[in-house]
Amino acid sequence: MSILIKNGTVIDPKSGMEEKTDIYIENSIILKIGKNLNIKAAKIIDAEHKLVVPGLIDIHVHFREPGQEGKETILGGSIVAAKSGFTSVCTMANTTPPIDNQALVKFIKLEAEKGPINIYPVAAVTKGLNGEEISEMGELYAAGAVGFSDDGKPVTNALVMKRALEYAKMFNVPVIAHEEDPMLSDSGIMNQGEQSVLLGLRGIPSESEETMIARDVLLAKSTNGRLHVQHISTSGSVQIIREAKNKGTNVTVETCPHYFTLTDKSVSEHLSMAKMNPPLRTEKDRLAIIEGLRDGTIDVIATDHAPHQAQEKKQEIEYAPFGIVGLETAVPLVITVLVNENKFSYMDVFRKMTIRPAEIMGLNRGYIAENGPADITVIDPEKEIHVTEDFLISKCKNSPFIGMKLKGSVDFTICGGKIVYGN
Ligand code: DOR
């Protein structure tokens, strides 16, 4: 299949290119980039007034297979990702059973072949996510794991974390950390502060996240291992990472759209739909996250796409599971909140959704270049979308963004030279 994308504003954060030009794709690679290309193609995409960016990469999703297919499947999740502009995702290991052996890594890779996008499995740091016994990292890596994470749970045992950083270093892959001290979280439900007091709900203090980040930054320093910190939510976390980076520690970090968009004030309105872990924090934290994104402390925007079924989320907030779906709303929130409201450049935001996550996970993707992979996303930044249950094609509709009108819509997603989503 040949595709010609005409007159789009091509933004490639790897090379710094930002110009109106054409792209010609044949089979799975970009053959030619240039103005006014006059090449016959099976499909022509008119990208006038559109952004043409490298296929987006989300290094933090939960597709729930094996074991919780009622929430989502690998194939279903891939279709959601394609609609949302993502051509590559990294799936987390907290499935049932967890991804802690070679057979399960291979299973994910096999299932992924049925779907439209690239899926890279992250395997468990510890067997059964038990936090105590390190998984067979060498075998998991050989089977295709691109990193290690017990996400959903922290690795509370510091010695286990230290060893994990040492072992993962041998394969040059990151240990991807959900940072939380369960003792400090103390079965909390939302951010600890004024709002939790008003609502009478048990709170999760900022220190629960920050003390573990501080610990792991020190371990990353002493081992020189590769630490990637997931879904940071507090101003203190941004500051710890900023200082660690200034001292040259090998640490990278992500946040999610909900942490730069919402605060704990949303909990009274959206109840369990605004329940995720870490929780939504205060306005001061939200602004610090935005500053961390702006000054480059925060490397990556990932979604933590975490589907849960309606009957689970409809319980009292205390019993409902943590997590919201995030793929479909990622591009509209980034454009509305970061670009339109906070004046980020497209280059800056898409760097954090393309080449930076690719570099961290060791993927040869996330850029636009001749002879490079034909993974491309075409976005209409002016088009308004209305987040409704129908707009969300995920099996589960657990989103606090339902009802919002946002700017920025994915028009086309091209993965491996094929149109996997077209508006
Ligand atoms: O809110 C969350 N949901 N946070 C996590 O760390 C795990 C995730 C899930 O698996 O549902």
Side-chain angles (χ1 to χ4, degrees):
M1 166 98 169
S2 57
I3 307 169
L4 184 59
I5 307 172
K6 295 283 295 171
N7 291 321
T9 300
V10 177
I11 295 175
D12 176 47
K14 186 179 180 189
S15 63
M17 169 171 64
E18 178 162 358
E19 65 183 62
K20 204 169 173 189
T21 189
D22 299 347
I23 294 181
Y24 177 70
I25 293 168
E26 213 172 274
N27 300 321
S28 58
I29 62 168
I30 295 172
L31 269 195
K32 189 101 194 108
I33 302 172
K35 290 191 196 303
N36 305 317
L37 292 184
N38 197 3
I39 309 173
K40 277 208 163 58
K43 167 84 185 168
I44 295 179
I45 294 175
D46 175 12
E48 184 80 44
H49 306 304
K50 311 281 165 73
L51 309 174
V52 178
V53 300
L56 304 179
I57 300 176
D58 185 356
I59 62 176
H60 189 159
V61 302
H62 299 269
F63 284 173
R64 307 298 191 201
E65 194 177 359
Q68 302 158 51
E69 291 82 356
K71 296 183 195 235
E72 193 50 278
T73 60
I74 293 167
L75 176 59
S78 319
I79 293 167
V80 178
K83 184 214 173 195
S84 311
F86 293 89
T87 53
S88 298
V89 300
C90 297
T91 49
M92 290 300 124
N94 65 339
T95 48
T96 316
I99 310 304
D100 64 0
N101 64 57
Q102 279 198 317
L104 287 168
V105 173
K106 287 181 185 163
F107 165 77
I108 293 186
K109 287 173 71 89
L110 267 178
E111 282 301 303
E113 280 171 23
K114 299 181 192 162
I117 62 149
N118 308 302
I119 293 188
Y120 297 96
V122 167
V125 177
T126 63
K127 288 183 185 163
L129 305 181
N130 67 11
E132 292 301 327
E133 206 182 340
I134 294 196
S135 58
E136 300 290 346
M137 286 189 169
E139 286 185 5
L140 291 163
Y141 174 74
V146 292
F148 297 96
S149 180
D150 278 3
D151 178 49
K153 286 180 169 184
V155 176
T156 49
N157 183 322
L159 181 60
V160 171
M161 189 61 174
K162 185 174 173 186
R163 295 271 180 267
L165 284 160
E166 284 166 346
Y167 290 136
K169 191 170 81 167
M170 294 196 264
F171 314 108
N172 191 25
V173 297
V175 175
I176 303 167
H178 169 118
E179 302 290 29
E180 175 181 13
D181 181 334
M183 301 300 232
L184 287 172
S185 288
D186 194 22
S187 308
I189 287 157
M190 65 176 293
N191 181 50
Q192 187 174 80
E194 211 173 286
Q195 290 299 311
S196 65
V197 172
L198 272 173
L199 295 171
L201 294 171
R202 270 199 311 281
I204 302 173
S206 301
E207 310 90 81
S208 169
E209 179 176 316
E210 292 159 7
T211 53
M212 289 294 264
I213 295 179
R215 181 201 76 174
D216 287 349
V217 159
L218 291 175
L219 294 176
K221 193 160 184 229
S222 69
T223 58
N224 203 24
R226 289 186 52 201
L227 173 68
H228 177 74
V229 176
Q230 296 182 295
H231 47 43
I232 67 165
S233 67
T234 78
S235 98
S237 299
V238 177
Q239 191 50 27
I240 294 166
I241 301 276
R242 187 178 282 130
E243 283 166 17
K245 285 189 167 191
N246 285 341
K247 288 185 187 145
T249 308
N250 209 349
V251 55
T252 55
V253 62
E254 71 187 36
T255 193
C256 313
H258 34 283
Y259 301 119
F260 60 70
T261 307
L262 301 176
T263 67
D264 56 357
K265 286 197 168 160
S266 293
V267 177
S268 59
E269 183 185 351
H270 296 288
L271 300 171
S272 71
M273 290 298 187
K275 180 180 178 185
M276 71 288 287
N277 193 11
L280 297 171
R281 305 284 187 181
T282 64
E283 180 64 4
K284 174 173 165 264
D285 295 301
R286 187 183 80 87
L287 296 175
I289 292 287
I290 292 174
E291 279 323 297
L293 286 161
R294 200 188 299 280
D295 73 8
T297 301
I298 301 176
D299 302 85
V300 164
I301 299 167
T303 67
D304 194 1
H305 182 81
H308 292 292
Q309 285 171 300
Q311 66 266 30
E312 300 171 281
K313 279 294 203 181
K314 277 189 183 141
Q315 302 176 85
E316 292 85 343
I317 187 165
E318 182 164 358
Y319 303 114
F322 289 99
I324 61 170
V325 290
L327 281 167
E328 296 105 316
T329 45
V331 165
L333 288 171
V334 161
I335 291 185
T336 306
V337 180
L338 295 183
V339 176
N340 295 352
E341 290 171 17
N342 284 283
K343 308 295 168 220
F344 279 61
S345 67
Y346 290 125
M347 191 70 82
D348 266 2
V349 292
F350 289 118
R351 179 178 297 112
K352 295 176 199 295
M353 302 174 84
T354 58
I355 190 66
R356 273 312 276 146
E359 286 165 351
I360 291 166
M361 301 310 299
L363 314 177
N364 176 27
R365 302 192 176 276
Y367 60 93
I368 292 179
E370 286 182 358
N371 299 316
D375 292 358
I376 286 182
T377 303
V378 180
I379 294 168
D380 183 342
E382 294 300 330
K383 187 163 163 194
E384 187 175 87
I385 59 116
H386 188 185
V387 185
T388 58
E389 293 218 349
D390 287 343
F391 173 78
L392 302 175
I393 61 163
S394 291
K395 261 193 181 182
C396 301
K397 317 284 178 188
N398 49 316
S399 167
F401 301 113
I402 290 177
M404 278 193 183
K405 288 194 172 144
L406 301 166
K407 279 278 184 79
S409 169
V410 173
D411 269 8
F412 287 93
T413 308
I414 299 167
C415 185
K418 294 194 188 105
I419 296 178
V420 292
Y421 172 74
N423 192 352

